[in-house]
Amino acid sequence: MRMSQFFLPVLKDTPAEAQIVSHRLMLRAGMIRQSSAGIYSWLPLGFRVLKRIEQIVREEQDAAGAQELLMPTIQPADLWRESGRYDDYGLEMLRITDRHERDMLFGPTNEELITDIFRGSVRSYKQLPLNLYHIQWKFRDEVRPRFGIMRGREFLMKDNYSFDLDPEAARHSYNRMFVAYLRTYERLGLKAIPMQADTGPIGGDMSHEFIILADTGESEVYCHADYLDFAAPEAGVDYGSDLSPVIEHWTSRYAATDEKHDAAQFEADVPEDRRIATRGIEVGHIFYLGTKYSKAMGATVMGADGAEVPVEMGCYGIGVSRLVGAIIEASHDDDGIIWPASVAPFQVGLINLKVGDEACDKAVADIYEKLRRAGVDVLLDDSDGRAGGKFATMDLIGLPWQLIVGPRGLKSGVVEVKQRATGERQELSIEAAITTLTDN
Ligand code: 5CA
C-alpha cells in the first residue's frame, strides 16, 4: 500500500478527550473516529488490526473444535421474555420497535438466540457435543462508555455456546475453551491471567475472566506473580484429551477480581513479595451456565436411556474490539504504538527519504515489489514530506519494521533497517535487508 493513496488521517495534537494512552494513540494514528458516545468507525489502519485479531481468535476456536456461524444483531424480544431477561437486562438493552409494533432489540449477547437454534434442530445426545460461535457486533447501552473502544456501546465480540449431555462433558467443553483462550492471547502477544470472577447478568455457577494487567484497566485484580512466567499451551494441543492438568496448573495460584477477592486468603496463599494487587483489562470471560437457559427455554435432548434432559450449556466471550486497545496498553512507548507482528496492520514501513531522487525512487520501487512478491505487507511512505515527520508517523503507527532508503546510504550500497520494538538499527545491503524482512 502506498501512503499517498492510503486513508490515514493522523492527528498532530493529542486529543483532549482521550484519558488513556490506547485511546489517544488510536485517535492520533487515525485508527478510529467516534460517531457518537461509545460508537466508533474503524478507519483502514484500525480495521486491518481488528481483522487480524479476529482471524487469530477464529483460528484458535476452529482448532478447539468450535464451529463458526453468524447470528443477526437484531433479535426478537419474545425470546428474551422466555428466559426472563427481557425485563432483567434493564437500561443496558437497546429496545427497538419495528413497523408492525413488534418488540425487537439490538443483541447485547446471544444465549437466547442460540438456544432457540439449538432446540429447533437438536434432538439426541448423539448430536452432542456441540460448540457454536460467531464474531458479531453487540450493543450495550453502558452507563459510562469510556476509554474509546475499551468500553464502547457498540463493540465486536466473539461469543460461543457449548451444548453437552451432562456436567462432566460440559466441564470438558469449558476446559477446551480455557485452553483455546490461553493460546489466543499468547498469539496476540499478551499475558492474560485467568481469574475467578462474578457471573453478572449472564448467570451460571463458575466463571473465569481473562485479565491483562494494566494500570489503566477498569477492574481491580489480585494475583500471584508466578502467573507472569507461566507458559501457554503449545500449538497442536489435543483437544480430545484430558485437559484438566492444564487447567489445574493455570488455576493453581491465587487470582481473583475484586468481586471474588478474599483478602485473608490472598495473604495466606501468596508470599508478600509475590503479591500483585493492581488493575486489569478484561479481555475475555467464560461461563459454565448449567441448565439456566435450556430449562427456561425447553432445550432438551434425548439421552442414551431415552429420557429427555435439559442440555448443559457454557458460554465464552472474547472482546475482539477491546483487544485492539488492550494490546496498545500493553505495547507502546512515548513515540507511539508497537504492534506485535501477529496483529500489525503492515509488517514493514518502507520510507523513501528523497522522493524525486532517481536512485531512491528506483531502489524503493524495486524493494517494494520484491517484498510484496514475497508476501510481506508493506506500507510505502512515498510522500515528499520531511524526514523527521516521516519517522514520527512510522513510529506512531508502530509497524514492526522500518526500512529507510536515502541517497547517502544508496551511494555506498546500503539501506537502514530499524526494529520498532527495540529501536535497533542496522545498515544492510538491499538484498540483506529484504532477506531480513522476509524471514521475519
Ligand atoms: N455471553 C457472554 C459470553 S459469550 C458475555 O457476554 N460475556 S461478557 O459480558 O463478559 O462479555 C464478553 C467480553 O466482551 C468481555 O470479557 C469483554 O472483553 C468484552 N466486552 C464486554 N462489554 C464490553 C464493552 N462495553 N466494550 C468493549 N468490550 C466489551
Side-chain angles (χ1 to χ4, degrees):
M1 176 62 71
R2 288 167 193 278
M3 200 100 114
S4 55
Q5 288 157 20
F6 190 53
F7 183 57
L8 182 68
V10 294
L11 303 178
K12 290 241 158 28
D13 301 318
T14 301
E17 76 269 26
Q19 298 165 32
I20 62 171
V21 68
S22 57
H23 189 194
R24 277 198 293 276
L25 288 173
M26 287 183 77
L27 291 171
R28 282 190 51 212
M31 293 177 66
I32 51 167
R33 281 294 174 271
Q34 182 175 311
S35 77
S36 57
I39 304 181
Y40 290 84
S41 297
W42 290 79
L43 307 187
L45 191 77
F47 192 50
R48 281 179 162 252
V49 177
L50 190 68
K51 289 276 164 200
R52 297 205 62 174
I53 295 174
E54 188 183 309
Q55 185 55 22
I56 289 175
V57 169
R58 175 176 291 118
E59 285 169 13
E60 292 303 324
Q61 286 301 313
D62 294 348
Q67 295 176 55
E68 187 170 10
L69 46 61
L70 184 61
M71 290 177 270
T73 53
I74 307 292
Q75 306 182 19
D78 280 346
L79 282 180
W80 288 67
R81 293 196 173 100
E82 284 189 52
S83 70
R85 285 207 296 180
Y86 190 62
D87 294 327
D88 292 354
Y89 225 92
L91 292 173
E92 259 193 31
M93 182 184 277
L94 180 65
R95 294 155 207 264
I96 303 163
T97 310
D98 73 8
R99 68 199 301 161
H100 305 293
E101 298 290 318
R102 274 189 293 252
D103 294 330
M104 313 290 284
L105 56 101
F106 195 119
T109 175
N110 281 65
E111 284 78 5
E112 285 78 359
L113 200 48
I114 197 84
T115 306
D116 184 48
I117 291 171
F118 180 91
R119 72 180 170 187
S121 320
V122 181
R123 295 271 167 270
S124 159
Y125 74 97
K126 290 183 187 153
Q127 292 162 275
L128 302 181
L130 193 60
N131 185 329
L132 301 169
Y133 75 98
H134 72 162
I135 301 175
Q136 178 63 292
W137 293 92
K138 307 288 187 290
F139 192 93
R140 293 183 186 172
D141 206 350
E142 302 274 353
V143 195
R144 270 210 301 165
R146 57 184 185 152
F147 301 156
I149 46 79
M150 285 281 213
R151 178 161 298 278
R153 292 199 296 165
E154 191 180 65
F155 59 96
L156 188 61
M157 191 201 288
K158 183 284 299 171
D159 41 325
N160 322 34
Y161 304 88
S162 65
F163 301 90
D164 285 281
L165 181 62
D166 55 43
E168 198 188 327
R171 179 69 205 224
H172 181 66
S173 292
Y174 187 90
N175 290 352
R176 283 202 290 175
M177 287 297 109
F178 195 116
V179 170
Y181 275 41
L182 292 173
R183 290 216 21 84
T184 303
Y185 299 121
E186 155 93 4
R187 286 186 61 191
L188 296 172
L190 293 170
K191 280 225 168 289
I193 303 173
M195 302 200 181
Q196 286 178 42
D198 218 23
T199 55
I202 307 292
D205 46 21
M206 176 174 66
S207 94
H208 288 93
E209 279 180 12
F210 288 76
I211 302 273
I212 307 297
L213 304 184
D215 298 338
T216 47
E218 289 190 289
S219 322
E220 266 177 52
V221 298
Y222 304 83
C223 68
H224 196 302
D226 283 3
Y227 277 116
L228 298 173
D229 302 319
F230 279 17
E234 302 277 325
V237 186
D238 176 3
Y239 280 101
S241 69
D242 179 14
L243 300 169
S244 45
V246 185
I247 313 305
E248 277 157 25
H249 176 58
W250 276 91
T251 51
S252 60
R253 310 283 196 278
Y254 189 95
T257 58
D258 56 350
E259 298 101 349
K260 289 277 179 183
H261 179 54
D262 175 339
Q265 188 161 8
F266 183 50
E267 283 168 26
D269 288 0
V270 187
E272 198 170 352
D273 62 339
R274 304 296 287 160
R275 281 178 210 153
I276 298 181
T278 182
R279 303 188 77 80
I281 303 166
E282 181 200 325
V283 288
H285 197 163
I286 61 178
F287 306 74
Y288 172 50
L289 297 169
T291 54
K292 171 174 169 170
Y293 296 92
S294 54
K295 271 192 180 144
M297 297 180 64
T300 58
V301 286
M302 185 98 73
D305 57 2
E308 289 274 332
V309 287
V311 70
E312 293 280 333
M313 290 174 60
C315 74
Y316 316 90
I318 289 186
V320 176
S321 49
R322 175 178 289 182
L323 272 166
V324 181
I327 291 169
I328 298 175
E329 289 293 327
S331 186
H332 67 269
D333 63 14
D334 290 346
D335 298 325
I337 303 166
I338 303 172
W339 292 116
S342 59
V343 300
F346 299 92
Q347 294 306 309
V348 177
L350 174 58
I351 301 178
N352 183 349
L353 281 183
K354 198 151 190 205
V355 171
D357 175 280
E358 205 176 318
C360 283
D361 290 353
K362 189 171 166 306
V364 163
D366 189 44
I367 295 169
Y368 183 62
E369 260 326 293
K370 285 191 173 140
L371 286 174
R372 279 197 349 158
R373 253 183 269 137
V376 180
D377 261 337
V378 186
L379 181 62
L380 163 59
D381 186 348
D382 55 349
S383 65
D384 57 6
R386 295 217 329 266
K390 294 186 177 200
F391 294 145
T393 301
M394 276 300 174
D395 281 350
L396 172 66
I397 66 174
L399 310 183
W401 296 93
Q402 295 171 16
L403 200 163
I404 302 145
V405 180
R408 222 176 310 144
L410 277 187
K411 276 204 187 104
S412 39
V414 293
V415 293
E416 195 176 29
V417 173
K418 175 180 154 185
Q419 201 172 356
R420 174 68 181 89
T422 57
E424 195 186 312
R425 294 161 182 275
Q426 273 178 288
E427 286 205 329
L428 298 172
S429 70
I430 292 181
E431 288 316 310
I434 291 175
T435 310
T436 303
L437 299 179
T438 44
D439 286 352
N440 270 282

